[in-house]
């Protein structure tokens, strides 16, 4: 498995550096358990703590009395409900090597005997909570606090999915688990907060902890609870059988009692016989992580049997029989330095955040998307704010929100443009997304550059300088005009020799035979990139059919919903003059090898493209292509898949039927293996669709 050293220790040079680190960790922990906003992200905190621990190992006599390594939750004072059994924290490992070392230490505690069985479950990124049931009735909710005492938050009883007010049996038991917000719950919480004049939460955990602890909110916020533990000692429960259950069965029993657990989910609790199986589960959970509706920051590895646990025992802060394997952080906190406004090729004016560079999940991030002006207002952002930045899966990084409690007063209001930043024309503010009043005319050069790029018309030799000259000399207004340019007109351009002009004339003529999906993509219709264009072209088969389609017809194309369809119809109508010019110039406007899709209400249940080798198959291509496909771009691969009756898709899911994995394939390959999806090499794929390789691209 690959391991990314997400949190090596901060190196501390001397005692002064050590004491400074202790003070910083303490301040962050106090703030985190106090306001819920620490201004230090987990990764930074982990690094600091590891540095502190490393220094303390070397200097055991100089350990500070208030070192965060000494207490659970860094010893923050908290509420006033005592925990019958302390709520502990977990140690961390960051690599396979760390994990094997830790497992060896557990086995030493068992007198050299192997751990009988392991169990692996997700490390849910929320807030720890103890739920007390008396004779089956939920009577009290207590936060972890400092581990010994926590805060009573019983006022949220009824707001937590997974914590029923009554169990299925009249059992007395204390259940422990994590409270978190799913994506949808987070959106709803932010909406409710914004509706009551508040700023949106900086991130989900802050939202969870803030919503749990706020007593007098005029609105209610739903959250989700997942149980991962219970007080099973007969001294604490009316169900003495619990004490003997392996962890994997205990979770099943909690589920049976009506509690929320991760059991039914793909990342649920899995028993593993040995460390290799444990590592495979850790990888599997990590692969599934970007697609889950809730956040994970790691996997938890526990000894499964009560007997092993009893023998391994507990340290002062953590059990010896469990640890957390931390994944590289998907979120970090950094400073918002500025907001830049750029104008896209369709005239959309988009803000983007300029950030103090920060490393998230192995990549340094300097820019993040801010969507639109309304979004900036909703998030109540200011220049100079500490903001949470996310980079989940392959998504573009985004700014979630600001730590408003950390403001110093030096923050500055974000200025919104009052004219188009590119051409100075007015701004159309009728929609959330602002647009230059001149629309795509404003982005003429960008639009033409987009149309001739590799994934669209692929016209070589048409660089920016030439496009700018063509536009400035009024020789072209849009890319359709390229097809009527003469050699003489090209020769009039600065620094254009005969050879280059001839080459360009040939390249433009060659582009007349591109398949419909490329030509449609070149139109730059809002919301249609290369893969959506391919889907539209393979569905309709000709430009005439596309221009004749209404919103209802467009919605039959996979991935086009009720919001997108009318936008596409309007855009296509607006582009009618361009399409007419293309037609007049003899540009191909048909999809080669087109097979009409089966009508949705057709009697027969034939698959679309029946008889073709990939009929009805969702195909994902990942990694580098080789063999006969070595020179195929992703767009060409997708076109090939469509010609052979399949559907190209970019992410692996249960619906994927085939994965073509080339060199250096990464997480998609791992996920396919995990889901048991057929995976073949580019060479095997080429053989399977050989008859389509020769067809025109
Ligand atoms: S077991 C005695 N299991 O992680 C064992 N904790 O860093 C203590 N957490 O305070 C906890 N998912 O809030 C356990 N599957 C899981 C967990 C989990 C998330 C949290 C929990 C704990 C923190 C420790």
């Amino acid at each position: 498995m690959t391991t990314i050293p997400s949190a090596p220790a901060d190196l501390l040079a001397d005692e002064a550096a050590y004491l400074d680190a202790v003070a910083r960790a303490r301040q962050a922990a106090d703030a985190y358990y106090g306001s819920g906003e620490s201004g230090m992200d987990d990764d930074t905190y982990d690094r600091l703590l590891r540095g502190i621990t490393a220094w303390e190992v070397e200097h055991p006599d100089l350990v500070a009395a208030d070192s965060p390594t000494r207490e659970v939750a860094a010893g923050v004072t908290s509420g006033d409900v005592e925990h019958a059994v302390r709520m502990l924290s977990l140690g961390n490992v960051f690599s396979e090597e760390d994990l094997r070392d830790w497992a060896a230490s557990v086995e030493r505690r068992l007198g050299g005997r192997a751990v009988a069985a392991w169990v692996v479950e997700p490390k849910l990124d929320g807030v720890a909570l103890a739920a007390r049931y008396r004779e089956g009735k939920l009577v009290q909710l207590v936060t972890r606090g400092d581990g010994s005492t926590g805060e009573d938050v019983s006022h949220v009883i009824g707001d937590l999915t997974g914590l029923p007010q009554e169990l299925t049996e009249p059992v007395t038991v204390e259940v422990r688990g994590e409270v978190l917000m799913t994506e949808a719950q987070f959106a709803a919480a932010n909406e409710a907060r914004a509706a009551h004049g508040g700023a949106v939460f900086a991130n989900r955990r802050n939202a969870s902890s803030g919503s749990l602890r706020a007593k007098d909110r005029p609105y209610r916020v739903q959250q989700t609870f997942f149980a991962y533990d219970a007080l099973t000692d007969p001294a604490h429960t009316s169900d003495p059988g619990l004490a003997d259950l392996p962890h994997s069965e205990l979770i099943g029993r909690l589920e049976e009692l009506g509690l929320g657990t991760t059991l039914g989910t793909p990342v649920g609790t899995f028993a593993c016989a040995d460390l290799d199986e444990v590592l495979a589960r850790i990888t599997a959970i990590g692969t599934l992580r970007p697609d889950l509706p809730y956040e994970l920051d790691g996997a938890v590895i526990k000894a499964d049997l009560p007997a092993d646990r009893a023998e391994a025992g507990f340290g002062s802060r953590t059990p010896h029989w469990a640890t957390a394997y931390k994944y590289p952080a998907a979120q970090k906190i950094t400073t918002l330095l500025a907001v830049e406004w750029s104008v896209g090729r369709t005239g959309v004016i988009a803000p983007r955040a300029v950030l103090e560079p920060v490393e998230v999940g192995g990549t340094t991030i300097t820019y993040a998307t801010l969507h639109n002006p309304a979004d900036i207002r909703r998030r109540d952002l200011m220049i100079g704010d500490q903001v949470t930045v996310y980079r989940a899966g392959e998504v573009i990084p985004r700014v979630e929100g600001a730590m408003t409690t950390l403001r110093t007063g030096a923050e500055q209001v974000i200025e919104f443009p009052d004219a188009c930043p590119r051409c100075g024309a007015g701004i159309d503010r009728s929609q959330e997304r602002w647009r230059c009043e001149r629309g795509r005319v404003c982005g003429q050069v960008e639009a033409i550059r987009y149309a001739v790029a590799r994934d669209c018309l692929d016209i070589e030799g048409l660089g920016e300088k030439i496009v700018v000259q063509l536009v400035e000399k009024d020789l072209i207004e849009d890319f359709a005009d390229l097809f009527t340019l003469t050699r003489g007109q090209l020769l009039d351009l600065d620094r254009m020799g005969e050879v280059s002009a001839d080459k360009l004339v040939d390249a433009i003529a060659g582009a007349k035979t591109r398949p419909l999906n490329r030509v449609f993509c070149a139109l730059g219709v809002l919301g249609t990139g290369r893969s959506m264009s391919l889907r539209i072209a393979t569905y309709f088969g000709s430009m005439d059919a596309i221009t004749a389609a209404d919103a209802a017809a467009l919605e039959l194309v996979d991935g086009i919903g009720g919001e997108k369809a009318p936008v596409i119809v309007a855009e296509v109508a607006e582009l009618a003059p361009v399409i007419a010019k293309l037609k007049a110039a003899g540009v191909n406007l048909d999809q080669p090898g087109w097979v009409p899709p089966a009508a949705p209400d057709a009697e027969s249940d034939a698959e679309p493209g029946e008889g073709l080798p990939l009929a009805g198959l969702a195909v994902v291509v990942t990694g580098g292509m080789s063999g006969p496909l070595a020179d195929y771009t992703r767009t060409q691969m997708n076109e090939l898949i469509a010609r052979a009756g399949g559907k190209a898709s970019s992410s692996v899911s249960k619906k994927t039927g085939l994965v073509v994995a080339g060199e250096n394939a990464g997480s998609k390959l791992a996920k396919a293996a995990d889901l048991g999806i057929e995976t073949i090499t580019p060479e095997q794929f080429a053989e399977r669709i050989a008859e389509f390789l020769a067809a025109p691209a």
Side-chain angles (χ1 to χ4, degrees):
M1 70 189 287
T2 49
T3 49
I4 301 171
S6 61
D10 279 350
L11 283 180
L12 303 175
D14 51 27
E15 191 178 1
Y18 164 73
L19 290 174
D20 175 62
V22 167
R24 277 187 293 139
R26 157 113 356 233
Q27 196 182 21
D30 284 355
Y32 173 60
Y33 290 98
S35 68
E37 289 188 2
S38 85
M40 194 183 283
D41 49 68
D42 288 359
D43 213 33
T44 311
Y45 185 76
D46 282 345
R47 243 189 350 248
L48 195 60
L49 208 61
R50 279 161 74 86
I52 291 172
T53 313
W55 198 85
E56 288 176 351
V57 169
E58 297 288 314
H59 308 90
D61 45 329
L62 294 177
V63 173
D66 62 344
S67 166
T69 61
R70 296 193 139 195
E71 299 135 281
V72 174
V76 180
T77 51
S78 69
D80 43 15
V81 183
E82 215 159 297
H83 290 297
V85 174
R86 270 160 62 79
M87 285 185 84
L88 295 182
S89 179
L90 291 168
N92 291 326
V93 295
F94 296 92
S95 65
E96 174 171 351
E97 194 188 349
D98 283 358
L99 180 74
R100 290 193 186 274
D101 287 351
W102 170 78
S105 79
V106 181
E107 302 195 343
R108 275 196 300 279
R109 290 181 193 278
L110 302 187
R113 173 171 68 74
V115 171
W118 297 104
V119 67
V120 181
E121 51 191 22
K123 185 168 192 297
L124 304 155
D125 196 5
V127 181
L129 189 72
R132 297 176 173 173
Y133 283 91
R134 196 177 305 136
E135 291 170 7
K137 300 246 172 14
L138 181 53
V139 291
Q140 194 176 33
L141 297 180
V142 188
T143 63
R144 177 169 74 168
D146 65 0
S148 302
T149 56
E151 199 175 322
D152 187 308
V153 291
S154 304
H155 55 273
V156 297
I157 288 180
D159 295 344
L160 304 180
T161 307
L163 267 185
Q165 300 196 38
E166 190 158 357
L167 296 176
T168 55
E169 292 171 41
V171 178
T172 295
V173 65
E174 177 173 324
V175 180
R176 291 176 173 183
E178 202 81 352
V179 173
L180 47 77
M181 284 190 190
T182 61
E183 212 170 295
Q185 287 170 334
F186 182 54
N190 273 334
E191 219 165 87
R193 204 178 194 215
H196 285 84
V200 300
F201 291 104
N203 59 44
R204 290 204 218 167
R205 199 167 50 188
N206 283 359
S208 266
S209 126
S211 305
L212 263 191
R213 302 174 64 197
K215 283 217 166 69
D216 307 311
R217 290 247 166 94
Y219 52 92
R220 305 200 78 123
V221 171
Q222 281 296 317
Q223 303 206 53
T224 302
F225 177 86
F226 288 111
Y228 53 64
D229 202 6
L231 298 191
T232 58
D233 190 294
H236 302 295
T237 173
S238 66
D239 186 350
L242 292 182
D244 304 320
L245 295 179
H247 182 76
S248 43
E249 288 174 35
L250 172 69
I251 300 299
R253 173 76 180 129
L254 297 179
E255 172 97 14
E256 213 175 79
L257 287 172
L259 293 155
T261 72
T262 53
L263 263 196
T265 73
V267 290
T269 304
F270 278 79
C272 297
D274 56 34
L275 275 189
D276 289 336
E277 273 183 46
V278 166
L279 284 160
R281 267 319 295 164
I282 293 173
T283 309
I285 295 176
T287 312
L288 293 164
R289 178 184 180 211
D291 300 329
L292 294 172
Y294 40 83
E295 295 181 326
L296 307 184
D297 56 342
V300 183
I301 301 95
K302 301 174 176 173
D304 198 18
L305 303 191
D308 283 353
R309 290 184 179 199
E311 215 174 318
F314 295 88
S316 62
R317 301 168 54 237
T318 61
H320 291 314
W321 44 263
T323 195
Y325 184 105
K326 288 292 217 56
Y327 297 124
Q331 75 183 66
K332 282 284 184 71
I333 294 166
T334 189
T335 312
L336 175 62
L337 297 177
V339 172
E340 288 179 354
W341 299 83
S342 62
V343 190
R345 64 193 148 75
T346 55
V348 170
I349 302 170
R352 73 170 180 174
V354 184
L355 305 166
E356 177 77 44
V358 63
E359 197 235 89
V360 188
T363 320
T364 301
I365 289 175
T366 325
Y367 298 104
T369 166
L370 282 169
H371 306 291
N372 54 56
D375 204 56
I376 295 180
R377 288 209 189 92
R378 260 197 301 272
R379 288 171 206 281
D380 182 28
L381 301 177
M382 294 183 82
I383 308 289
D385 268 341
Q386 294 298 301
V387 293
T388 310
V389 184
Y390 272 83
R391 189 176 152 270
E394 286 157 78
V395 190
I396 311 166
R398 62 172 206 274
V399 170
E400 187 72 64
M403 305 280 193
T404 47
T405 55
L406 299 178
R407 285 194 177 146
T408 61
E411 294 74 19
Q412 284 162 1
V413 175
I414 295 173
E415 304 273 352
F416 289 54
D418 39 32
C420 170
R422 180 163 49 205
C423 73
I427 296 176
D428 172 2
R429 297 184 174 84
S430 60
Q431 310 213 345
E432 278 210 338
R433 246 190 193 189
W434 289 4
R435 212 172 161 187
C436 172
E437 269 175 3
R438 295 167 67 226
R440 57 183 78 238
V441 175
C442 167
Q444 228 172 2
V445 172
E446 277 80 358
I448 295 167
R449 298 260 296 141
Y450 175 80
V452 302
R454 196 156 177 224
D455 282 331
C456 294
L457 294 175
D458 195 10
I459 302 179
E460 247 183 84
L462 252 185
E464 181 163 6
K465 286 201 181 112
I466 298 181
V467 175
V468 168
Q469 285 189 66
L470 289 170
V471 169
E472 279 175 358
K473 289 187 194 288
D474 272 339
L475 290 172
I476 60 172
E477 205 170 275
D478 51 54
F479 77 90
D481 295 331
L482 290 170
F483 294 104
T484 46
L485 278 179
T486 62
R487 183 173 182 271
Q489 285 172 320
L490 287 176
L491 278 172
D492 270 351
L493 302 180
D494 289 349
R495 280 192 248 160
M496 174 68 74
E498 304 232 337
V499 178
S500 313
D502 286 340
K503 272 195 186 157
L504 197 48
V505 167
D506 284 351
I508 293 173
K512 285 187 177 177
T513 57
R514 297 277 181 264
L516 174 64
N517 62 293
R518 303 288 194 105
V519 185
F520 186 77
C521 192
L523 289 172
V525 172
L526 272 179
T528 65
R530 59 181 186 185
S531 50
M532 180 55 79
S533 297
L534 178 58
R535 266 181 262 161
I536 292 174
T538 30
Y539 186 87
F540 290 103
S542 70
M543 190 68 91
D544 283 344
I546 297 175
T547 49
D550 59 8
L554 273 158
E555 275 189 56
L556 297 174
V557 178
D558 193 28
I560 300 186
E563 239 173 79
K564 207 177 229 184
V567 176
I568 298 178
V569 173
E571 288 258 309
V572 170
E574 196 184 308
L575 287 159
V578 182
I579 296 171
K581 280 192 264 183
L582 291 170
K583 198 181 256 184
V587 174
N588 167 60
L589 296 175
D590 292 317
Q591 192 67 354
W594 179 68
V595 189
D601 54 356
E603 296 272 303
S604 94
D605 49 10
E607 284 279 356
E610 204 180 40
L612 298 174
L614 303 177
L617 263 195
V619 183
V620 173
V621 177
T622 179
M625 292 298 101
S626 49
L629 300 172
D631 294 332
Y632 275 60
T633 62
R634 275 295 186 272
T635 306
Q636 287 171 320
M637 284 300 291
N638 293 347
E639 288 164 359
L640 187 58
I641 292 165
R643 279 205 302 281
K647 215 183 78 189
S649 139
S650 58
S651 62
V652 176
S653 75
K654 271 185 273 175
K655 289 185 199 146
T656 308
L658 180 68
V659 172
V660 182
E663 224 172 284
N664 295 327
S667 64
K668 291 182 192 176
L669 177 58
K671 191 160 171 189
D674 199 57
L675 293 171
I677 294 164
E678 184 189 4
T679 303
I680 60 177
T681 63
E683 287 76 8
Q684 290 167 323
F685 183 68
E687 239 168 71
R688 196 178 289 194
I689 45 91
E691 57 191 298
F692 295 88
L693 275 184

